[in-house]
Amino acid sequence: MKDLALDIRVEKTQNSRLSEVDFNNIPFGKIMADHMFVADYSDGKWHDLRVVPYGDFQLGPATSSLHYGQAIFEGLKGFRNAQNPSEVLVFRPQENAKRLNVSAERICMPQISEEIFMQGLHALLEIDRDWVPDTEDSSLYIRPFMFATDNFLGMRPSETYTFAIITAPAGKYYSKALKVKVEKEFSRTAPGGTGVAKVAGNYAASLLPAKLAAEQGYDQLLYTDAKEHKYIEESGTMNVMFDIDGTFVTAPTVPVEDTILRSITRLTVIELLQDMGKKVEERHISVEEVISSIKNGKLRGAFGIGTAVTIAPFATIAEDGVDYDLPTDYTFSLELKAKFQGIQKGELEDTKGWTYKI
Ligand SMILES: *Cc1c(COP(=O)(O)O)cnc(C)c1O
């Protein structure tokens, strides 16, 4: 990859904020690292690749992404290599590059080459590597994103775009097991919609149901299919897995269903489970099956899966105002999480080439 080095201009900050950060107490998403990678798109090409000090964009009031929502993002993490702390390990970034392009295609944005994505990421983390925390349960959260920049109110795909990568040191995410509510009124997407894409608008749509659920004491939602509200799809920003009598069941993604975001953490978990000799089923799972398996004791555990949380065990699943508590002695999800994070941090051998070294 480095043989095909792209021309990336680098402008380093004169005022690093690194020494002001308390790495033992990091509020999520508030403190950004010193630099960002930026590329602009016009006349059908990406150009002006650059690593520059983190700072504001200048946008006109008619900037089309602010009106019509052509905006997509990704989320991934970098860790200090436990074997060699001067090295950063980024987890499966090529998968995020691919998924960004799936999202781009769905809302008529241009593709960005894997070279630009990867070399931009590489150049950025080479400069900001000291921002990768080494405290326990922490990481550098990496946020690539793309948005439309035409200063034009006409309703059509923008002709200009900006792609950028910013990063933020992150501490522990959810700490306790979650109370989740089966959502039957609101949908985050529908067949033929944009659920398969990491599109900004999807998250806007999920804010109100999440807020209402929080008022009722729930940490997260379990979205159901938009048509019948009968089958479990996923949680707000996590895919979901159920351990039913030792079989791990998770809802199918594309090409079977286009309503579920194809989580890279989930792909990884499926492979880890299969390597451990566990049975995994990607199939539709109804709310009724989940509730009845809680009642008859077959549901050993359930958990959310996504980059932010890695694996987040559920304590309670609520349906129609009734809370069903899950077994409290289920430890497997935490074992799986430890294994997953061990690979991410270089503590366990990465036999699959999942980690990218910088
Ligand atoms: C980002 C996201 C996930 C998790 O995907 P990962 O690649 O594992 O981080 C799951 N569901 C939704 C809706 C998401 O936006």
Side-chain angles (χ1 to χ4, degrees):
M1 200 198 78
K2 272 170 243 159
D3 319 333
L4 294 167
L6 296 167
D7 183 16
I8 301 176
R9 178 170 69 83
V10 174
E11 179 193 333
K12 285 198 187 177
T13 180
Q14 301 299 313
N15 308 298
S16 172
R17 290 172 280 105
L18 187 59
S19 61
E20 296 159 20
V21 181
D22 174 6
F23 281 96
N24 291 306
N25 184 15
I26 318 173
F28 178 76
K30 281 194 178 160
I31 301 164
M32 310 302 166
D34 280 330
H35 298 88
M36 61 183 184
F37 172 76
V38 185
D40 294 318
Y41 181 91
S42 61
D43 297 321
K45 315 186 272 297
W46 290 101
H47 54 84
D48 289 340
L49 279 50
R50 55 204 189 270
V51 172
V52 291
Y54 178 87
D56 296 347
F57 292 120
Q58 207 174 1
L59 300 174
T63 296
S64 60
S65 49
L66 300 178
H67 300 265
Y68 307 128
Q70 268 188 300
I72 58 178
F73 66 96
E74 275 300 324
L76 64 163
K77 282 180 172 176
F79 301 84
R80 267 181 207 260
N81 187 350
Q83 313 289 332
N84 175 8
S86 65
E87 203 165 63
V88 183
L89 298 178
V90 184
F91 195 68
R92 307 190 78 174
Q94 293 93 342
E95 293 293 331
N96 295 89
K98 278 187 211 148
R99 191 172 63 190
L100 184 78
N101 281 326
V102 169
S103 301
E105 185 179 12
R106 179 63 185 81
I107 61 167
C108 284
M109 298 172 88
Q111 298 286 291
I112 188 154
S113 70
E114 191 174 304
E115 282 80 45
I116 297 180
F117 186 101
M118 292 300 298
Q119 291 184 35
L121 179 68
H122 198 108
L124 179 64
L125 292 194
E126 254 179 3
I127 289 178
D128 279 342
R129 70 169 70 239
D130 291 344
W131 283 85
V132 183
D134 56 4
T135 44
E136 191 171 337
D137 263 324
S138 62
S139 61
L140 187 73
Y141 183 77
I142 303 166
R143 167 56 59 86
F145 59 109
M146 192 200 296
F147 60 99
T149 54
D150 277 8
N151 209 30
F152 175 61
L153 290 178
M155 182 54 163
R156 56 143 172 80
S158 179
E159 287 167 357
T160 61
Y161 296 87
T162 292
F163 170 71
I165 306 176
I166 57 174
T167 70
K172 212 176 163 118
Y173 214 63
Y174 302 123
S175 43
K176 62 173 181 43
L178 303 175
K179 281 185 79 172
V180 299
K181 176 194 156 185
V182 174
E183 177 61 55
K184 295 185 175 177
E185 185 185 352
F186 296 99
S187 299
R188 67 176 288 279
T189 186
T194 54
V196 73
K198 237 173 151 74
V199 168
N202 289 352
Y203 304 87
S206 66
L207 293 175
L208 177 63
K211 181 179 155 217
L212 296 173
E215 284 166 10
Q216 297 164 1
Y218 298 103
D219 304 302
Q220 279 281 350
L221 298 171
L222 277 181
Y223 283 104
T224 51
D225 69 287
K227 215 164 136 188
E228 298 179 276
H229 297 297
K230 214 170 133 184
Y231 297 97
I232 305 270
E233 295 206 318
E234 63 170 317
S235 195
T237 52
M238 303 184 287
N239 285 176
V240 181
M241 202 168 253
F242 299 93
D243 178 350
I244 302 177
D245 242 354
T247 297
F248 292 83
V249 184
T250 182
T253 60
V254 280
V256 179
E257 289 294 348
D258 66 358
T259 48
I260 298 170
L261 202 278
R262 192 158 176 267
S263 153
I264 296 159
T265 315
R266 170 181 173 280
L267 296 180
T268 309
V269 163
I270 289 174
E271 251 188 88
L272 288 176
L273 287 170
Q274 285 169 340
D275 290 350
M276 291 162 91
K278 306 281 184 194
K279 207 168 144 206
V280 180
E281 290 178 358
E282 288 182 66
R283 62 165 172 86
H284 294 110
I285 176 161
S286 66
V287 179
E288 192 193 345
E289 179 180 352
V290 170
I291 302 299
S292 68
S293 58
I294 296 174
K295 286 182 181 160
N296 66 24
K298 287 196 167 158
L299 190 90
R300 294 183 188 170
F303 46 91
I305 324 171
T307 295
V309 293
T310 319
I311 289 170
F314 295 163
T316 302
I317 296 177
E319 187 202 16
D320 297 335
V322 183
D323 283 356
Y324 298 93
D325 291 330
L326 274 54
T328 51
D329 57 353
Y330 187 71
T331 54
F332 182 74
S333 53
L334 297 174
E335 285 166 36
L336 195 61
K337 180 175 178 174
K339 184 163 182 165
F340 196 124
Q341 293 185 335
I343 298 170
Q344 287 181 314
K345 293 176 185 167
E347 289 160 4
L348 298 176
E349 196 192 350
D350 169 21
T351 56
K352 316 252 182 183
W354 280 334
T355 53
Y356 175 85
K357 286 183 187 161
I358 296 172

